[in-house]
Amino acid sequence: MATKNPIIKDAPNSVVRSIGVIGTGRALPQKVFKNDEFVNLGLDTSDEWIVERTGIKQRYIAKEECASDLAIAAANKAILNAKIDKSEIDCIVVATTSPDYPLFPSVGCLVQSGLGLTDIPAFDLSAACTGFIYAMEVATSMMRNGTYRKVLVIGVDTLSKYCDWKDRSVVILFGDGAGAVVLGGVEDGYGLLASQLGAKGKDWEKLVVPIGGAKEPLTAENISSPDRYIKMDGKAVYKFAVNIIVDVIEKALEKANLKKEDISFFIPHQANKRIIEYAREKLGLSTEQVYVNIDTYGNTSAASIAIAMDEAAEKGLLKNGDIIVTVGFGAGLTYGTNILKWYSSKK
Ligand code: ACO
């Protein structure tokens, strides 16, 4: 078996068969917000309730920062970690539903400018908490024919800005942050092996920001309405998540010709510790095989899997050749999974 990395730098249009993560990074806002602070704000909740029902102890809240600030910081770390020059990046894909500006420019274009790059394509992709999973598949598909060779994929959200801070059923769940990866050519057989993406659009009302878009623009009359913030049927989303997670992973495993027993490490979207625990049991994994950081960050939406991947890589939990399964679910309702054979140049 060939041991050297087969990236053919001098042949821009040649096919890159195996595409994987060659660098990771994350960035969080300055402000740490602990559960007790909701009580101090007058919300009828408690640290005990939040920890028991969700596993969340604290989250980071973007006050000064916007999505692009966090995305640029995470991207710089991922580029450094990949040991490449940023000029090698030839496309930027940003998964987010909470951009700096309501319509345009995209966070992708702001990231391109912030990194001091120019002319390469840069765009946003909207799939809520499943955004990073979708973006990984989209970016990899763009790379497979050799058109793009090093793509920056970022998951970023600042959903605390879209929460009604008087609604205890939603605001306690979300935190802000960004995670980034650089995708590049890796040794044959490594990298993204399979993805399975999906959506149940008929259930879009279960998780929605009802007003402030083209359907019902903000006006002087509705500007103070709680409907300009995230409305969620928590129970319905919970049921949707537990019903879909194992099914979507099994479909992707089959595509990759793998079984549940082959999974080395599981990086789920961090929405609720009980959902993660349910999935862990169904997949027959030990607690050591699952990455959980919801206690520290809450639900950072499109950023959650990318942040977790960066932390797990930093801690040395992702070994060369490991089968890594990620899974996401969220507004849309969207869902999806990526299966990776982890490639580490430090093996
Ligand atoms: N503190 C205290 N009590 C609360 C709080 C709170 N923060 N929030 C709700 N309650 C109350 C409710 O009012 C209810 O009271 P009642 O029985 O008197 O009516 C009681 O606690 C139980 O509420 P439930 O909604 O049944 O609580 P549940 O155990 O379902 O937990 C939760 C709620 C945590 C929201 C859960 O349903 C959940 O995690 N759902 C999934 C959310 C999710 O994963 N979203 C991801 C997608 S996000 C995206 O894509 C943008």
Side-chain angles (χ1 to χ4, degrees):
M1 197 176 95
T3 49
K4 67 177 172 49
N5 188 330
I7 307 169
I8 311 155
K9 275 193 182 167
D10 302 321
N13 292 319
S14 67
V15 171
V16 181
R17 266 170 306 190
S18 297
I19 291 138
V21 173
I22 60 167
T24 61
R26 67 180 184 275
L28 283 313
Q30 294 276 316
K31 170 83 183 138
V32 176
F33 198 94
K34 293 188 185 297
N35 289 346
D36 281 338
E37 294 179 61
F38 289 117
V39 181
N40 299 340
L41 287 179
L43 270 195
D44 182 13
T45 189
S46 65
D47 178 50
E48 293 72 34
W49 192 97
I50 299 170
V51 172
E52 193 193 310
R53 297 292 180 110
T54 70
I56 302 167
K57 293 181 182 157
Q58 63 164 53
R59 73 285 293 138
Y60 289 78
I61 299 293
K63 295 274 185 203
E64 308 299 326
E65 306 93 340
C66 280
S68 70
D69 302 313
L70 300 170
I72 291 163
N76 272 318
K77 287 180 189 159
I79 291 166
L80 198 69
N81 188 246
K83 297 190 179 65
I84 60 163
D85 190 86
K86 63 184 177 181
S87 62
E88 290 181 62
I89 299 290
D90 49 22
C91 180
I92 300 171
V93 186
V94 178
T96 189
T97 46
S98 44
D100 301 30
Y101 299 98
L103 284 115
F104 38 72
S106 66
V107 176
C109 287
L110 298 172
V111 170
Q112 191 215 56
S113 166
L115 292 176
L117 300 175
T118 189
D119 293 314
I120 59 168
F123 62 95
D124 290 0
L125 178 158
S126 163
C129 297
T130 321
F132 184 71
I133 303 263
Y134 270 56
M136 289 283 282
E137 173 68 1
V138 167
T140 304
S141 303
M142 291 172 75
M143 295 172 79
R144 283 222 168 95
N145 69 2
T147 309
Y148 301 99
R149 322 227 11 123
K150 300 248 176 4
V151 177
L152 190 55
V153 177
I154 303 171
V156 60
D157 266 310
T158 53
L159 289 184
S160 74
K161 294 176 194 277
Y162 294 88
C163 288
D164 178 355
W165 280 70
K166 293 191 185 79
D167 182 354
R168 65 177 184 175
S169 68
V170 172
V171 70
I172 55 117
L173 297 174
F174 292 103
D176 305 325
V181 299
V182 178
L183 295 182
V186 294
E187 196 171 310
D188 252 357
Y190 285 74
L192 188 67
L193 302 181
S195 293
Q196 182 77 27
L197 309 179
K200 292 198 186 295
K202 70 176 172 53
D203 291 328
W204 64 270
E205 277 179 293
K206 306 290 183 203
L207 193 41
V208 59
V209 179
I211 66 170
K215 196 169 176 71
E216 201 177 332
L218 287 181
T219 60
E221 286 72 43
N222 69 17
I223 190 88
S224 304
S225 165
D227 279 354
R228 60 178 292 188
Y229 301 111
I230 298 168
K231 295 282 159 208
M232 180 176 69
D233 179 344
K235 270 200 182 1
V237 177
Y238 191 101
K239 274 193 202 145
F240 160 71
V242 295
N243 284 331
I244 208 80
I245 287 178
V246 178
D247 188 51
V248 71
I249 290 172
E250 279 175 349
K251 285 196 174 102
L253 283 170
E254 204 180 315
K255 273 189 193 170
N257 210 11
L258 293 167
K259 295 187 289 298
K260 283 195 269 191
E261 298 72 49
D262 297 317
I263 301 173
S264 315
F265 203 71
F266 180 41
I267 306 181
H269 169 46
Q270 311 282 313
N272 187 313
K273 202 174 161 194
R274 291 182 292 152
I275 297 175
I276 297 173
E277 185 54 20
Y278 175 89
R280 181 191 72 74
E281 274 182 24
K282 289 280 174 194
L283 292 170
L285 302 172
S286 70
T287 50
E288 290 73 31
Q289 287 175 289
V290 184
Y291 200 76
V292 182
N293 62 9
I294 189 169
D295 52 330
T296 312
Y297 301 118
N299 179 350
T300 56
S301 192
S304 109
I305 292 163
I307 291 173
M309 188 178 282
D310 180 49
E311 281 194 341
E314 193 174 84
K315 290 178 183 169
L317 297 172
L318 312 180
K319 310 263 185 336
N320 190 57
D322 275 358
I323 299 298
I324 313 293
V325 172
T326 65
V327 74
F329 53 88
L333 298 174
T334 55
Y335 59 91
T337 183
N338 299 137
I339 298 184
L340 298 124
K341 185 169 178 178
W342 195 254
Y343 176 77
S344 170
S345 54
K346 296 160 208 131
K347 63 195 163 180

